[in-house]
Amino acid sequence: MKYVYFFGAGKAEGNGQMKEVLGGKGAGLAEMTRIGLPVPAGFTISTEACDFYFKHERKFPKELAAQVKANLAHLEKVTKKKLGDAKDPLLVSVRSGSARSMPGMMETILNLGLNSRSVEGLAQRTGNQRFAYDAYRRFVQMYSSVVIGLPKDELEEKLRTLKNRLKVKDDTQIPADGLMQLVADYREYFKQKTGKAFPEDPHEQLWGAIGAVFESWMGEKAVTYRRVEKITGLLGTAVNVVQMVFGNTGDNSGTGVCFTRDPSTGEKDFFGDFLINAQGEDVVAGIRTPMQLSEMAKRMPKVYKQLEGVRQKLERHYRDMQDLEFTVEDGKLYMLQTRTGKRSPAATFRIAMDMANEGLITREEAIQRIQADDVERLFYPVIAPSTKRDDLAKRKIATGVNAVPGAASGKAIFTAHEAEEWASRGEKVILVRRETSPEDVGGMHVAQGILTATGGKTSHAAVVARGWGKCCIVGCEALDIDYPKKQMHVGGRAISQGDWLTLDGSEGIVYAGQIELARPEPPKAYSIVMGWADKIRRLRVRTNADTPFDSRKAREMGAEGIGLCRTEHMFFKDFEQPEKSIERQLAIQEMIIADTREARQRALDKLLPFQRSDFIGIFEAMDGLPVTIRLIDPPLHEFVPHEKAQQEELAKKIGVPVETVIRRVEQLHEANPMLGHRGCRLAITYPEILEMQVRAIIEAAIECQKRGVKVFPEIMHPLTMAKKELKILGEATRRVADSIIAQHKVKLHYLVGTMIELPRAALLADQIAEVAEFFSFGTNDLTQTTMGLSRDDAGRFLPEYVDEKKAGIFAGDPFQTLDQDGVGMLIEWAIQRGRKTRPNLKVGICGEHGGDAPSVKFCHRAGMDYVSASPFRVPISRLAAAQAVLEEKAAGKKARR
């Protein structure tokens, strides 16, 4: 089996379509070679070799050694150098590369092939001893930490100690003899820690590096990143062994990272960072604060012009914004990487729109390029416009590079581990670091925002934060961070761990204290691209909303009705007149405590005007759109107090003995309330509750009709499990509704249907459809009852089920993304059987899955009429519904071929 693919001298065995095998980096190097760009030669070990490695107890495939040997010999022939040669050594980088971009999450080793002999040969060939030993110290440091696992911080501390002793700020200021001493210190440290000398054999170095890159695929930071980004189904990482080109040979050399368009705004500007006399990791790691490309254009105009040509060629070739890495060695440009660039949510929409308008891509392709996370993150907060400017001026403590727009407010935390700890307690945190590294990814993910003292817009912190749409400021050089004291000093002010900070990532400004944040208005490109999506989709998108405010907000987000209005939420809160909330609570509690129908009816009579008023507000907000109202669902014990003092207070307010309250609360106790006396079972036992709620709905609808509001009420009974059960409830519903309609002498069309939340209801859907005009799948409970999982308790063990390093049973949390194999099968069965009985049966979904993109696409394929999602997830559902149509068309074309 072929595991190794060569590229170089204008030819490549692979191509850009082979990401699954070569990884993104290897595929990019092969493709750039094929289209004639200046790429150093090398070879890629495939992801299939990594897959074999982990499936066979961390052993390499038997064919791999011979293939690596042959390709290394070919590389030596092409470059006319030999690995480890004492006079003119070939040096290589060994870098990871998966099919999906995982910036900085896996390992890299540079300058491999250096030893005590070849470093002298490199110095003599280049006439630059400082450069040779700078390359050697980097290699020893990387190999020690990446391959052997020695602490990176201890090696960095030796470098800092040397700079302090020499009284220099930058690495570039260390003279050759200082670097020689540093290499000696590193090698001695290596021997003390491992009991062995640092390896001199370059082939031993190479195989150690290949193994380390493979191992990094299952490293904690890589696994965490894949979990956060929901990356699954990949074979592993490829390994790219590439001839080294050097950006640290002097002032005519350098290294950079750039984007073919601005990744923050999406504007068609050439955007990037460049460092003179540096190697690539210096830019990505954020160890030094780089210059912008505009400065490079002044210092190296010929190289910049060539780079501009590469930019245009690659963007036309790939038809997407590209993230490029390059090195300039003694005035000559080399391209080291091209990949689809990570971008902010606003930039995602802008680039998709612009490229469609430019004719680079179609509108359909533009829609396909937007991800659910892009939509969600578009509404991340900004500093509230109402904040006074003079207040901001007083709070301003520092400025840095505005790496990722938006705003964040949280408590300053100085280590990633502690950020995770604080966040797990519900604290909002800002992660503050000198620079971030891939080991910080867990803390970066839970943080509200990220602040670093060094780095540019293409540093590790910026790239990762941008991919997550997370506010980030880098290169804030005024920060003096003291990790041992958990403190930073800036402008004569001390900020200790736990002190509030606010970041304005759009302006690059750091403020002391907590400042009010607000949701931003989406950019123009968002409305345009979402308009394209709405013209394509078949599936309607409703919202889950219980208040007029949420209903209005959902309409702004594009909702086409309400798919779930939870009436029980109204019992506790008056959203229009909060001061009246206590009256609602007392009324529902009085009804529950009552021990006769007459007493319950008196309490329900008090609730009726509140419910009617709520429904009027919601119908007005949804004028002309359908509103599905679920009758009371939770068990009654959730509405009454369980503490003695609160029970005494309630008894006093409703005028009954406290013993009556205590006894009733005890009667309501259930061992398993989720499967107990709740949902439509309450209406069977207490039909007066149903009658009050239906009356409130119908009277509100009639009142709205009189005002000229178009109303389309849909009354939904939750948790049904039998045809006869729903028949009883449906008849009771219609008896009340029709009586009120007749009394008012009006015409009002309404529907009566049910939630499908139990496997039995799904299996008997053909029978239930005889008495139901619509089905709405309550997939939260349907998932619980089908899988035997408690949504509230499964968090204790579900991580084991989705962690690929552990059991890896599920690809994701079934309460976030629908279990299409099991729960999905029941849904498809129920739809087919239900429509066999009632062909015009309206079908939707109202669980949390209605706002999850993969689940929405399943709903489209299953033939549903609509999905319902929380207001701010409505745009995600709109987009996913359009993408489902496009994916269906693509699958059809593929099948016809």
Side-chain angles (χ1 to χ4, degrees):
M1 182 172 180
K2 185 175 179 64
Y3 287 109
V4 185
Y5 296 77
F6 191 84
F7 56 88
K11 297 180 181 179
E13 293 183 301
N15 60 57
Q17 303 302 312
M18 296 177 66
K19 283 185 179 181
E20 297 297 323
V21 176
L22 302 180
K25 194 183 301 290
L29 289 166
E31 190 69 11
M32 286 194 294
T33 301
R34 290 167 67 92
I35 64 175
L37 295 182
V39 178
F43 55 87
T44 299
I45 301 171
S46 74
T47 60
E48 294 163 323
C50 182
D51 185 48
F52 182 99
Y53 177 83
F54 285 110
K55 287 180 177 176
H56 294 81
E57 299 178 341
R58 288 174 160 77
K59 293 178 182 176
F60 296 119
K62 63 179 185 296
E63 307 98 323
L64 188 61
Q67 291 182 28
V68 168
K69 183 177 180 181
N71 278 272
L72 180 59
H74 191 188
L75 180 60
E76 289 176 332
K77 183 178 179 181
V78 167
T79 60
K80 299 178 182 178
K81 299 174 186 285
K82 281 200 169 292
L83 191 69
D85 187 71
K87 293 183 179 179
D88 188 9
L90 167 67
L91 304 183
V92 296
S93 63
V94 182
R95 307 175 78 181
S96 61
S98 72
R100 286 277 304 276
S101 177
M102 296 172 55
M105 295 303 127
M106 292 178 291
E107 301 298 358
T108 292
I109 297 95
L110 302 180
N111 309 326
L112 188 144
L114 283 173
N115 55 30
S116 56
R117 299 181 305 279
S118 61
V119 68
E120 292 298 334
L122 182 64
Q124 290 176 16
R125 184 185 70 79
T126 60
N128 190 336
Q129 189 179 50
R130 190 206 170 278
F131 153 70
Y133 274 92
D134 182 45
Y136 195 19
R137 69 93 183 169
R138 292 170 185 268
F139 170 59
V140 176
Q141 181 176 346
M142 283 185 177
Y143 194 92
S144 299
S145 60
V146 171
V147 179
I148 306 303
L150 299 183
K152 183 179 178 181
D153 288 346
E154 293 184 19
L155 293 160
E156 286 284 354
E157 185 56 38
K158 291 182 182 295
L159 175 60
R160 279 195 291 271
T161 300
L162 174 64
K163 288 197 288 187
N164 289 338
R165 181 166 58 81
L166 295 174
K167 297 181 180 179
V168 298
K169 179 183 177 182
D170 294 329
D171 300 355
T172 55
Q173 296 172 297
I174 303 173
D177 56 353
L179 292 168
M180 293 172 70
Q181 183 58 53
L182 185 60
V183 168
D185 291 346
Y186 280 171
R187 288 171 62 100
E188 180 60 30
Y189 174 79
F190 184 98
K191 190 170 185 179
Q192 288 175 3
K193 292 291 184 179
T194 66
K196 299 177 182 178
F198 188 85
E200 291 278 293
D201 180 358
H203 295 88
E204 178 187 346
Q205 295 172 359
L206 178 60
W207 282 103
I210 292 170
V213 172
F214 278 169
E215 285 292 336
S216 71
W217 174 254
M218 294 305 291
E220 183 180 353
K221 58 190 177 183
V223 171
T224 299
Y225 188 84
R226 289 198 294 276
R227 185 185 72 246
V228 169
E229 290 287 293
K230 298 181 181 177
I231 298 173
T232 59
L234 302 185
L235 294 175
T237 181
V239 179
N240 300 284
V241 180
V242 187
Q243 174 196 4
M244 282 296 305
V245 288
F246 298 98
N248 59 332
T249 59
D251 289 343
N252 197 30
S253 300
T255 189
V257 176
C258 58
F259 295 82
T260 57
R261 302 190 187 212
D262 189 319
S264 292
T265 67
E267 293 178 27
K268 199 174 181 178
D269 296 329
F270 201 10
F271 175 101
D273 293 330
F274 183 69
L275 275 175
I276 295 288
N277 195 18
Q279 286 199 306
E281 290 303 298
D282 295 343
V283 178
V284 176
I287 294 168
R288 289 166 56 189
T289 301
M291 65 181 70
Q292 294 184 354
L293 282 182
S294 54
E295 184 65 23
M296 179 192 175
K298 297 174 185 175
R299 296 199 184 194
M300 299 181 178
K302 288 184 179 179
V303 175
Y304 179 82
K305 185 177 180 181
Q306 186 184 4
L307 184 63
E308 172 66 40
V310 169
R311 168 207 180 190
Q312 295 178 12
K313 187 170 188 176
L314 284 174
E315 189 168 273
R316 285 196 305 269
H317 184 78
Y318 283 101
R319 300 165 61 246
D320 202 355
M321 186 264 275
Q322 295 294 293
D323 170 0
L324 312 176
E325 289 184 22
F326 65 93
T327 285
V328 180
E329 181 182 87
D330 296 326
K332 184 175 181 181
L333 175 69
Y334 291 92
M335 301 308 300
L336 306 182
Q337 174 173 281
T338 186
R339 62 185 175 190
T340 300
K342 291 193 175 294
R343 60 206 77 177
S344 74
T348 298
F349 280 94
R350 173 72 183 270
I351 291 169
M353 180 190 72
D354 284 351
M355 286 192 167
N357 291 336
E358 291 164 18
L360 266 181
I361 60 176
T362 65
R363 287 184 176 183
E364 288 76 11
E365 287 174 306
I367 291 166
Q368 290 286 59
R369 289 188 178 179
I370 311 294
Q371 301 299 313
D373 285 348
D374 297 323
V375 180
E376 184 176 13
R377 292 166 183 165
L378 194 64
F379 297 95
Y380 280 8
V382 295
I383 290 177
S386 58
T387 307
K388 294 180 179 178
R389 288 188 179 183
D390 56 348
D391 185 40
L392 288 177
K394 291 174 186 175
R395 291 171 177 260
K396 181 178 175 180
I397 57 173
T399 58
V401 178
N402 53 336
V404 184
S409 194
K411 295 179 179 179
I413 304 295
F414 296 94
T415 69
H417 175 69
E418 287 178 297
E420 291 186 76
E421 284 184 354
W422 283 57
S424 70
R425 302 197 300 265
E427 299 276 9
K428 292 184 176 181
V429 302
I430 300 291
L431 181 63
V432 183
R433 304 284 289 160
R434 286 195 193 103
E435 71 273 342
T436 63
S437 68
E439 286 78 11
D440 294 328
V441 65
M444 294 172 72
H445 183 245
V446 300
Q448 303 295 307
I450 299 158
L451 173 64
T452 69
T454 62
K457 288 190 177 183
T458 57
S459 64
H460 173 266
V463 170
V464 173
R466 188 175 299 120
W468 287 337
K470 196 176 291 286
C471 171
C472 179
I473 298 174
V474 299
C476 194
E477 296 180 339
L479 304 186
D480 180 10
I481 300 172
D482 188 333
Y483 288 133
K485 290 184 178 179
K486 298 182 181 180
Q487 200 174 59
M488 76 176 186
H489 291 84
V490 55
R493 183 171 188 160
I495 303 291
S496 299
Q497 182 145 300
D499 290 348
W500 281 88
L501 290 175
T502 298
L503 309 183
D504 183 345
S506 303
E507 299 295 329
I509 301 174
V510 184
Y511 297 100
Q514 184 177 12
I515 297 174
E516 182 186 355
L517 306 181
R519 287 185 181 272
E521 287 297 317
K524 179 182 177 183
Y526 162 80
S527 300
I528 291 172
V529 175
M530 291 302 292
W532 297 345
D534 288 337
K535 291 177 182 178
I536 290 172
R537 63 185 169 89
R538 174 193 63 78
L539 206 60
R540 300 295 91 193
V541 179
R542 300 191 191 184
T543 190
N544 303 336
D546 314 323
T547 70
F549 176 83
D550 286 345
S551 302
R552 289 189 291 270
K553 176 53 67 177
R555 270 197 100 147
E556 291 173 15
M557 306 300 282
E560 298 161 305
I562 290 179
L564 177 64
C565 175
R566 292 156 287 212
T567 54
E568 64 272 4
H569 288 188
M570 302 171 180
F571 295 151
F572 277 102
K573 184 76 172 176
D574 189 319
F575 293 91
E576 301 297 305
Q577 296 177 288
E579 68 278 2
K580 291 191 175 182
S581 295
I582 191 66
E583 295 180 46
R584 295 168 176 252
Q585 294 179 31
L586 284 175
I588 187 66
Q589 290 169 337
E590 182 180 342
M591 187 276 294
I592 293 169
I593 299 300
D595 54 7
T596 67
R597 176 161 184 155
E598 292 73 20
R600 283 193 295 275
Q601 190 62 58
R602 285 195 297 272
L604 289 168
D605 289 344
K606 296 177 184 178
L607 269 177
L608 175 62
F610 292 126
Q611 289 254 283
R612 184 171 53 226
S613 174
D614 288 333
F615 293 138
I616 288 172
I618 289 170
F619 287 144
E620 287 177 336
M622 284 289 158
D623 185 3
L625 298 175
V627 176
T628 303
I629 299 167
R630 182 182 74 185
L631 303 188
I632 187 170
D633 183 41
L636 297 181
H637 78 86
E638 290 190 10
F639 298 96
V640 293
H642 294 266
E643 298 295 327
K644 181 72 178 294
Q646 293 173 324
Q647 290 173 346
E648 290 174 346
E649 183 181 354
L650 174 60
K652 185 177 180 180
K653 286 180 177 178
I654 64 176
V656 299
V658 69
E659 291 78 16
T660 301
V661 174
I662 294 171
R663 184 172 62 252
R664 183 60 175 144
V665 171
E666 289 174 350
Q667 289 172 349
L668 292 172
H669 173 75
E670 294 178 299
N672 189 350
M674 195 206 78
L675 298 178
H677 194 197
R678 55 167 287 220
C680 69
R681 299 161 193 174
L682 292 170
I684 292 287
T685 307
Y686 305 116
E688 57 271 24
I689 299 177
L690 177 150
E691 292 166 7
M692 182 278 290
Q693 291 200 294
V694 173
R695 175 172 290 277
I697 294 167
I698 299 300
E699 289 181 350
I702 293 171
E703 176 64 25
C704 286
Q705 270 194 348
K706 290 178 180 178
R707 300 179 189 177
V709 176
K710 293 181 180 178
V711 289
F712 301 98
E714 299 175 352
I715 301 170
M716 182 162 69
H717 294 278
L719 212 70
T720 53
M721 59 181 170
K723 171 189 170 181
K724 188 172 183 180
E725 179 185 47
L726 185 60
K727 186 172 185 290
I728 294 169
L729 297 170
E731 289 174 350
T733 300
R734 293 192 179 282
R735 187 166 55 249
V736 174
D738 293 346
S739 171
I740 298 169
I741 292 169
Q743 181 184 341
H744 285 79
K745 298 178 182 179
V746 296
K747 289 184 179 180
L748 176 67
H749 180 70
Y750 66 94
L751 299 179
V752 179
T754 185
M755 290 181 81
I756 304 293
E757 302 172 88
L758 300 173
R760 189 179 196 275
L763 292 170
L764 300 179
D766 54 339
Q767 298 177 23
I768 292 174
E770 292 178 30
V771 291
E773 293 176 293
F774 66 88
F775 285 173
S776 180
F777 288 93
T779 49
N780 298 341
D781 278 355
L782 188 58
T783 297
Q784 293 192 95
T785 54
T786 301
M787 303 183 76
L789 293 173
S790 164
R791 185 171 49 163
D792 296 326
D793 300 316
R796 299 176 185 175
F797 60 85
L798 259 184
E800 304 281 335
Y801 274 62
V802 299
D803 190 332
E804 62 183 302
K805 292 185 75 174
K806 297 177 182 176
I809 295 168
F810 298 144
D813 185 336
F815 292 108
Q816 294 180 21
T817 297
L818 189 71
D819 164 38
Q820 296 182 23
D821 294 335
V823 179
M825 183 186 292
L826 276 176
I827 290 172
E828 290 175 322
W829 169 276
I831 294 173
Q832 291 164 9
R833 302 278 288 192
R835 285 188 172 148
K836 188 175 181 181
T837 298
R838 188 185 291 265
N840 63 342
L841 181 73
K842 185 184 288 189
V843 178
I845 185 175
C846 63
E848 286 301 308
H849 298 107
D852 171 72
S855 306
V856 171
K857 293 175 183 179
F858 166 82
C859 294
H860 168 87
R861 295 192 300 271
M864 290 190 191
D865 296 296
Y866 69 87
V867 298
S868 190
S870 57
F872 281 97
R873 296 191 73 81
V874 164
I876 293 173
S877 303
R878 291 164 58 198
L879 177 72
Q883 291 173 339
V885 172
L886 297 175
E887 289 169 13
E888 192 172 63
K889 286 182 180 177
K893 287 181 181 178
K894 187 175 181 181
R896 287 193 293 274
R897 286 201 297 268

